[in-house]
Amino acid sequence: QGEGGQGLPSWITNNRSVESEDVVLWHSFGVCHMPRVEDFPVMPCESTGFMLKPDGFFTGNPAVDLEPTTNAASTLAKGCCGTTTTDSA
């Protein structure tokens, strides 16, 4: 365990570049199981986890350039959205 004062807050004060570098993340977490009456005689599964999601990876959404598609099976219900017919066109 670190002595304190280390980690991300200390690292970012040096304004280091991460461009073209291998970034390594050590994610530490613990699970504390509080026993319950329902756990007897066999403890049910306890799980934990995390996800890494990029933010700002692209300058824009690559799906925005896709042509819109029309679902031929979709129609407006009679009287829905101010229409009086079931035709969507």
Side-chain angles (χ1 to χ4, degrees), residues 36-82:
R36 306 176 303 166
V37 173
E38 293 85 3
D39 292 341
F40 183 79
V42 178
M43 181 183 151
C45 177
E46 182 163 358
S47 61
T48 187
F50 71 99
M51 295 180 70
L52 299 176
K53 294 184 176 185
D55 183 36
F57 189 75
F58 295 110
T59 56
N61 186 341
V64 173
D65 291 341
L66 298 177
E67 290 291 327
T69 59
T70 303
N71 185 343
S74 294
T75 59
L76 293 175
K78 189 177 270 188
C80 174
C81 307

Side-chain angles (χ1 to χ4, degrees), residues 4-15:
Q6 301 171 355
L8 188 59
S10 175
W11 191 82
I12 62 173
T13 59
N14 296 330
N15 198 23

Side-chain angles (χ1 to χ4, degrees), residues 27-38:
H27 176 67
S28 301
F29 59 92
V31 176
C32 180
H33 173 70
M34 303 303 278
R36 306 176 303 166
V37 173
E38 293 85 3

